[in-house]
Amino acid sequence: MADIHEDVHDGVHADIHEDVREGGREDIRRDVREGVREVADLGGTGSRTAGTGRSAGREDGGGSLFRNAYFLMLSTGVSAVLGLAFWLVAARHYSQEAVGQGSAAVAAMRLLAGITATTMIGAVVRFVPRAGRATGPLVLRAYAVSSLVVTAAGIVFLLTLDLWGPSYAPLGTPVAGTLFVASCVAWAILTLQDGVLTGLREAVWVPVGNAVFSLGKLILLVVLAGAVPVLGVFVSWAAAIVLSTVPLGWLVFRRLIPRQAAADHRRRPPTLRAVGRFVAGDSVGAVFSLLMINLLPVMVAVRLGAADNGYFYVAYTVGGTMEFLAVNMASSLTAHASRDPRALAEGVRGALRRMALLLVPVVAVLTLFAPLVLAPFGEDYAGRGATVLRLLAAAALPRVAVELYIGVLRVAGRTATLALLQGVMCVLVLGSAALLLTPAGIDGAGWGVLLSMTVVALLCVPGLRSALRGEAGTGRREPTGTDGSRTGNAPSGSG
């Protein structure tokens, strides 16, 4: 334990503070400026393909990692703000029963879509950057498999609708049921599409798509209030998915994928066996993560009641946004280093530096002003949820180390270790929360998350230090041809 502590202090901790002093803020401003310029550059298909020299080199450089991450973080913020506005407007224009039934349908849709979206997105982010000329077929296969599985799951759900309670009764008609299954498929594709854009190093389009979706559903929510008073909440959400999926789908398949295929036409695509093996391992870890995120508020509701769960869930939603910042950075790291594994050490170091600059001030504000942050939800929320929000905000700091190490493991293809790590994290978070809920109330759940994340982060430190030294194992695995991503014909700099 002493060695680990020394490593943290002398290695990662020192690197972060040295990099911050040497101009990290300027790095962030430069990354975002270049990312915005890339949107304007998209007008010419030939401007950023193989042989363009300067633009192609810039795209493959370390800056694309952080631009990707910043735009994913922006997308998280946009979705959070406009999502809150959606439910506030729904409460004003629809009855409480309609809001309850609509939110139940949306929750069921997201859960069923998550069966494939959550378990496949890691593979999409890892293999799309190195798929070369096979990028299009790889993405189409992912969409097709997801659509088939989600369709089957949606049909099973509708056939057992009576078992799920009266909130889902409006979905029992043929029209509503068909719309529900179609929306489940569309939501899964929309989620995977975000992963495809991340893998193509074009996450600048993710917040654009989410903003179109969020604004579209908000407008439709008001328009449909009179015409569809019962299912208007769900219909507006489902219809708005098309507003984002269709135009971005055209962009992905007609512009972005052909550009990557042309630039990497000599790169050997990953084999279906390699992709399948990765999905089999990564999906286990994804299920553990899904359980950890969704079961914690359920435990609070069961153990402490609906009122306490309300106070906890609001704080959990606000604090969870901080964790998604770390998840976004890790996803961008996976996409960037999967394309060029030799850039992993530089990517991890830069990610730690930038996350320190971005996250530490936000966590400090939430910790100091938690009651004020929760005040708009009501006096009771501010009084009962402030401590939980502080604990969950603090837990986002060790979560950075955990998520970045998860990114390292995905790049290295070490899915067994990845599943074990996420399994340990799930057991620790839920187990410690179960022990602490009775004596400490909702604060016990916050303490459980903070303590568990700290323990798991300490377990990740040796692996992160190896990655910072270029010893993460990706370099030794790449020449084996396990995933078919590296050959002697690979373009220079592609890894």
Side-chain angles (χ1 to χ4, degrees):
M1 183 65 72
D3 291 338
I4 293 177
H5 179 75
E6 182 180 355
D7 289 342
V8 174
H9 185 274
D10 294 339
V12 178
H13 190 67
D15 286 343
I16 291 174
H17 283 277
E18 179 181 358
D19 288 341
V20 169
R21 290 195 299 267
E22 291 179 358
R25 291 183 178 86
E26 180 57 33
D27 289 343
I28 292 176
R29 288 193 292 267
R30 183 180 65 250
D31 293 340
V32 174
R33 285 197 303 268
E34 291 184 3
V36 172
R37 282 200 298 269
E38 287 183 0
V39 179
D41 290 344
L42 197 60
T45 57
S47 63
R48 293 177 62 201
T49 59
T52 58
R54 180 177 178 273
S55 293
R58 183 186 70 186
E59 182 186 38
D60 290 341
S64 66
L65 187 165
F66 304 114
R67 289 192 297 275
N68 253 7
Y70 300 149
F71 286 119
L72 290 175
M73 294 175 189
L74 175 61
S75 178
T76 298
V78 169
S79 298
V81 172
L82 294 180
L84 177 62
F86 177 86
W87 293 112
L88 289 175
V89 172
R92 291 180 177 272
H93 288 80
Y94 292 81
S95 67
Q96 291 182 349
E97 183 179 10
V99 172
Q101 291 173 333
S103 61
V106 169
M109 175 196 72
R110 297 180 69 173
L111 177 63
L112 294 173
I115 293 174
T116 56
T118 303
T119 55
M120 293 179 65
I121 196 167
V124 168
V125 172
R126 182 175 190 260
F127 287 106
V128 163
R130 57 176 62 184
R133 62 184 181 275
T135 304
L138 175 65
V139 174
L140 285 174
R141 287 192 191 98
Y143 286 3
V145 171
S146 175
S147 298
L148 289 174
V149 173
V150 172
T151 297
I155 292 174
V156 171
F157 176 80
L158 292 176
L159 292 176
T160 59
L161 204 60
D162 293 339
L163 302 177
W164 300 98
S167 295
Y168 298 99
L171 299 177
T173 66
V175 173
T178 302
L179 175 63
F180 176 78
V181 173
S183 68
C184 290
V185 172
W187 186 261
I189 291 177
L190 179 63
T191 304
L192 289 174
Q193 187 170 258
D194 289 350
V196 171
L197 289 167
T198 302
L200 292 169
R201 286 93 58 216
E202 293 290 350
V204 62
W205 295 104
V206 176
V208 175
N210 281 342
V212 170
F213 162 70
S214 298
L215 288 173
K217 70 180 182 182
L218 193 57
I219 294 172
L220 289 172
L221 182 69
V222 177
V223 172
L224 296 175
V228 192
V230 177
L231 277 177
V233 173
F234 174 70
V235 172
S236 62
W237 189 297
I241 299 174
V242 179
L243 300 177
S244 176
T245 304
V246 172
L248 282 184
W250 180 91
L251 176 70
V252 165
F253 285 101
R254 295 299 299 271
R255 302 294 294 275
L256 302 182
I257 288 180
R259 187 173 69 195
Q260 170 163 296
D264 294 343
H265 65 280
R266 292 185 297 171
R267 181 188 289 268
R268 181 187 297 173
T271 64
L272 289 178
R273 180 182 178 185
V275 176
R277 184 167 58 247
F278 182 90
V279 170
D282 188 62
S283 61
V284 175
V287 169
F288 280 126
S289 180
L290 195 65
L291 290 175
M292 180 186 71
I293 293 171
N294 291 293
L295 284 184
L296 187 58
V298 173
M299 289 175 57
V300 173
V302 171
R303 296 281 293 275
L304 301 179
D308 281 331
N309 184 55
Y311 304 136
F312 172 79
Y313 195 78
V314 169
Y316 188 56
T317 301
V318 175
T321 303
M322 302 301 100
E323 295 184 355
F324 277 115
L325 299 181
V327 172
N328 292 334
M329 181 63 81
S331 294
S332 185
L333 175 67
T334 300
H336 180 75
S338 291
R339 181 175 174 83
D340 184 3
R342 294 171 298 182
L344 181 61
E346 178 186 355
V348 173
R349 185 176 295 107
L352 286 169
R353 177 180 64 200
R354 285 162 170 82
M355 288 307 297
L357 284 168
L358 293 170
L359 202 56
V360 170
V362 177
V363 170
V365 169
L366 289 179
T367 302
L368 293 173
F369 303 106
L372 293 178
V373 173
L374 296 175
F377 295 94
E379 183 178 348
D380 290 339
Y381 288 91
R384 299 289 299 276
T387 300
V388 176
L389 179 56
R390 291 187 177 106
L391 294 170
L392 295 175
L397 296 177
R399 184 69 179 265
V400 171
V402 175
E403 290 299 331
L404 288 180
Y405 188 51
I406 286 175
V408 170
L409 292 175
R410 282 200 173 110
V411 172
R414 297 168 57 189
T415 53
T417 304
L418 175 62
L420 177 62
L421 177 67
Q422 291 180 298
V424 169
M425 182 165 59
C426 176
V427 171
L428 286 178
V429 168
L430 297 181
S432 59
L435 292 174
L436 296 172
L437 277 173
T438 300
I442 60 174
D443 295 346
W447 279 112
V449 173
L450 176 58
L451 294 174
S452 300
M453 287 301 167
T454 302
V455 171
V456 177
L458 289 175
L459 295 176
C460 295
V461 166
L464 279 177
R465 291 194 72 247
S466 295
L468 288 168
R469 292 174 175 175
E471 303 169 356
T474 56
R476 293 190 299 272
R477 292 173 61 92
E478 286 297 314
T480 65
T482 299
D483 57 16
S485 63
R486 293 189 63 179
T487 69
N489 296 327
S492 175
S494 66

